[in-house]
Amino acid sequence: MLNISNNPMDRDEILKDVSSYQEVMSSHATRKFVFLLCGIFGLIIIGLFLPWTQNIRARGTLITLSPDGREQAINSVISGRIEKWYVREGQLVAKGDTILHISEMKTEYLDPDLVGKTRNQASAKKASKEAYADKGKALDQQIAALLRNRNLKQKQAQNYLEQSALKLKSDSIDFQTSLMNLEIAQRQFDRQQKLYDQGLKSLTELEGKRQKLQESINKKISAENKWLASQSQYLNAELGLSTVENEYREKIAKARSDKMSALSGEMEAESEYNKLSIKQESYAKRSSFYYILAPQNGYVTKATKSGIGEILKEGEQIFTFVPERTEMAVELHVRPLDLPLIREGRKVRLQFDGWPALVFNGWPDVSFGTFGGKIVAYDKVARDGTFRVLVAPDEEDVEWPTLLRLGSGAYGIALLNNVPVWYELWRNLNGFPPDFYMKGDVVEKKPKGVKYE
């Protein structure tokens, strides 16, 4: 049995009574086996030429498409003390509903009538500003009046100066006339004196000439006095004209200085009024921070400060808030190698955690339990070695489940080109990335039979 002897054993003779051996060794069974192998090989060959949809697979989470629909932290704008909670965790609130009341802690804001008193201060400064403005207007009117009076006084002094000049000229003429009359009277008296000495004239005639000479001397002295007085009057008129100019220049300069002081006081009062108005608005705005209101319809979750009397710091988080209605989206994280294949509007098949699905990679049309989406945006900078891609629901596909919640996991398959199965196997064996040929691109050495979008 161990075939130790030199005599060979006849296998067919020994196994001639075994039916299974006879069945296998028969020619009919051999042909069946060959046909079976050929059929399997043919199916494999045919399968290699079936269409295959290239894809990029990535994990992600459910978020909202708009930033205002995502979970947000509600912080305290001011420091304070918790006085009362009006809601509980998980409660649905409407926009503007009161969630929390806090009280003031800082001593400079403890006055309950702080806003009213600041308003009164602002009103007083406003009245002061208006008073300065009125004073400035009055000074403008005063300056205008001084300018008018100066012009009138200048005209008056100028007229007086001209009158003095004319009078001075007239008195000068009179004085010259008196000098001539005195000279004539002197000559006449001298001639009369000679004639009297010769006995040709009487003493009465000589005394008459002496009287006329004395009258001429008196007239000359009087005319000279008038002429000197006219000169003094003319000088006084000139001095009066310059005095008017100097007097009104000083008055106008003082009025303008007072106006500048009024304007300065008005601007200072306006500055103080603006500061007090800002304080008033700040105090009024701060008082509105005592009540924390719901920014929109949503749910209050995860309160970080809960007890009555707890102290809140400025900017400290109080609780988180989740909006009620959100526009769902999926945040996928793809490898840098696959990012050049991503573009806006490309179709994506999504599988959500908790929703049964049967996925056939390469044949998305026969996949079960997946939902359609399209790429709406992607980051231009990598974070943690991956790029973030936002996928929104596809309006042309089945609507996403309504029970999906933010933060749930998702599995995305971005659909690329349609290629044969053999090409996909060859690409994976060589470690090449999926091909992406846009219309108009020049591609060299494309494999035959490969269909590109």
Side-chain angles (χ1 to χ4, degrees), residues 357-393:
L358 184 61
V359 180
F360 293 93
N361 288 338
W363 294 292
D365 295 336
V366 298
S367 297
F368 175 79
T370 60
F371 299 89
K374 62 179 180 180
I375 298 173
V376 294
Y378 59 90
D379 289 347
K380 306 302 185 291
V381 179
R383 294 179 177 85
D384 299 329
T386 59
F387 287 86
R388 191 173 66 107
V389 178
L390 291 180
V391 180

Side-chain angles (χ1 to χ4, degrees), residues 176-331:
Q176 294 297 329
T177 302
S178 65
L179 289 176
M180 292 177 63
N181 291 333
L182 177 60
E183 184 179 357
I184 292 171
Q186 185 67 41
R187 287 198 301 268
Q188 288 179 353
F189 176 75
D190 292 340
R191 285 194 299 269
Q192 196 69 27
Q193 183 69 38
K194 290 179 179 180
L195 292 175
Y196 175 74
D197 293 338
Q198 295 174 1
L200 298 176
K201 292 292 181 180
S202 63
L203 180 62
T204 303
E205 292 176 343
L206 178 62
E207 292 295 332
K209 293 298 180 179
R210 181 179 289 115
Q211 183 178 1
K212 288 183 179 181
L213 177 61
Q214 189 63 39
E215 289 177 356
S216 297
I217 292 172
N218 293 337
K219 288 181 179 180
K220 178 257 182 186
I221 293 172
S222 176
E224 186 177 6
N225 289 334
K226 289 182 179 180
W227 180 55
L228 293 175
S230 297
Q231 288 181 348
S232 178
Q233 184 180 358
Y234 180 77
L235 293 176
N236 290 334
E238 286 184 338
L239 181 62
L241 181 62
S242 61
T243 300
V244 168
E245 179 67 24
N246 294 333
E247 178 184 359
Y248 278 92
R249 183 184 295 113
E250 182 180 357
K251 290 181 179 179
I252 293 172
K254 185 178 182 303
R256 286 175 176 172
S257 176
D258 293 341
K259 178 186 175 182
M260 292 297 105
S261 299
L263 291 177
S264 176
E266 180 184 1
M267 288 186 288
E268 184 178 357
E270 185 175 5
S271 176
E272 293 295 329
Y273 169 70
N274 291 334
K275 289 180 181 178
L276 291 172
S277 298
I278 293 173
K279 281 187 177 181
Q280 175 191 342
E281 295 297 329
S282 299
Y283 294 156
K285 191 68 175 178
R286 186 180 181 89
S287 63
S288 66
F289 295 146
Y290 297 155
Y291 292 90
I292 308 299
L293 308 179
Q296 55 182 312
N297 299 341
Y299 298 88
V300 177
T301 61
K302 196 178 179 181
T304 56
K305 295 287 185 178
S306 55
I308 301 298
E310 284 198 50
I311 303 301
L312 293 173
K313 296 180 180 179
E314 184 175 334
E316 186 176 4
Q317 180 178 346
I318 309 174
F319 58 89
T320 56
F321 186 84
V322 179
E324 179 185 13
R325 293 185 177 180
T326 57
E327 187 178 358
M328 290 290 186
V330 173
E331 180 185 61

Side-chain angles (χ1 to χ4, degrees), residues 340-341 343 346 417 435-443 452-453:
L341 310 177
R343 63 180 176 87
R346 182 165 289 281
N417 304 316
D435 295 318
F436 180 47
Y437 295 94
M438 298 291 293
K439 291 182 178 179
D441 291 346
V442 178
V443 181
Y452 299 107
E453 294 180 353

Side-chain angles (χ1 to χ4, degrees), residues 143 334 412:
I143 291 172
V334 301

Side-chain angles (χ1 to χ4, degrees), residues 7-218:
N7 298 322
M9 297 181 61
D10 190 356
R11 185 177 55 183
D12 294 336
E13 183 65 25
I14 296 173
L15 298 176
K16 64 181 180 179
D17 296 329
V18 180
S19 59
S20 58
Y21 174 76
Q22 297 297 329
E23 183 70 21
V24 171
M25 295 305 295
S26 63
S27 59
H28 181 70
T30 302
R31 285 195 300 271
K32 285 185 178 181
F33 182 71
V34 172
F35 291 155
L36 179 61
L37 291 179
C38 291
I40 294 174
F41 184 75
L43 290 175
I44 293 174
I45 295 298
I46 294 173
L48 290 176
F49 288 92
L50 291 177
W52 180 276
T53 302
Q54 291 180 312
N55 55 77
I56 299 173
R57 288 162 288 185
R59 295 292 302 179
T61 55
L62 272 169
I63 61 171
T64 60
L65 192 58
S66 58
D68 58 354
R70 299 171 188 173
E71 182 182 23
Q72 56 185 292
I74 303 299
N75 303 320
S76 176
V77 180
I78 61 174
S79 59
R81 178 178 178 272
I82 296 179
E83 294 293 337
K84 184 177 180 181
W85 281 91
Y86 292 90
V87 297
R88 64 179 185 276
E89 286 190 0
Q91 182 175 345
L92 176 64
V93 294
K95 180 180 180 180
D97 286 352
T98 304
I99 298 175
L100 177 67
H101 172 52
I102 62 176
S103 59
E104 191 59 73
M105 288 181 55
K106 294 185 177 180
T107 55
E108 59 266 29
Y109 304 114
L110 292 178
D111 189 353
D113 195 24
L114 183 62
V115 177
K117 292 179 179 178
T118 308
R119 185 184 299 110
N120 293 336
Q121 292 178 350
S123 300
K125 278 298 177 182
K126 184 178 181 181
S128 176
K129 179 176 75 74
E130 292 174 352
Y132 278 116
D134 293 339
K135 183 179 179 180
K137 293 178 181 178
L139 288 170
D140 284 334
Q141 296 175 358
Q142 182 180 354
I143 291 172
L146 288 173
L147 290 173
R148 289 194 298 270
N149 291 337
R150 185 189 66 177
N151 293 333
L152 292 175
K153 287 290 185 181
Q154 284 178 340
K155 289 181 179 178
Q156 184 180 3
Q158 185 68 31
N159 292 334
Y160 183 68
L161 179 63
E162 292 176 357
Q163 290 176 358
S164 299
L166 293 175
K167 189 174 185 304
L168 176 62
K169 186 176 181 180
S170 175
D171 291 342
S172 176
I173 294 173
D174 291 341
F175 176 63
Q176 294 297 329
T177 302
S178 65
L179 289 176
M180 292 177 63
N181 291 333
L182 177 60
E183 184 179 357
I184 292 171
Q186 185 67 41
R187 287 198 301 268
Q188 288 179 353
F189 176 75
D190 292 340
R191 285 194 299 269
Q192 196 69 27
Q193 183 69 38
K194 290 179 179 180
L195 292 175
Y196 175 74
D197 293 338
Q198 295 174 1
L200 298 176
K201 292 292 181 180
S202 63
L203 180 62
T204 303
E205 292 176 343
L206 178 62
E207 292 295 332
K209 293 298 180 179
R210 181 179 289 115
Q211 183 178 1
K212 288 183 179 181
L213 177 61
Q214 189 63 39
E215 289 177 356
S216 297
I217 292 172
N218 293 337

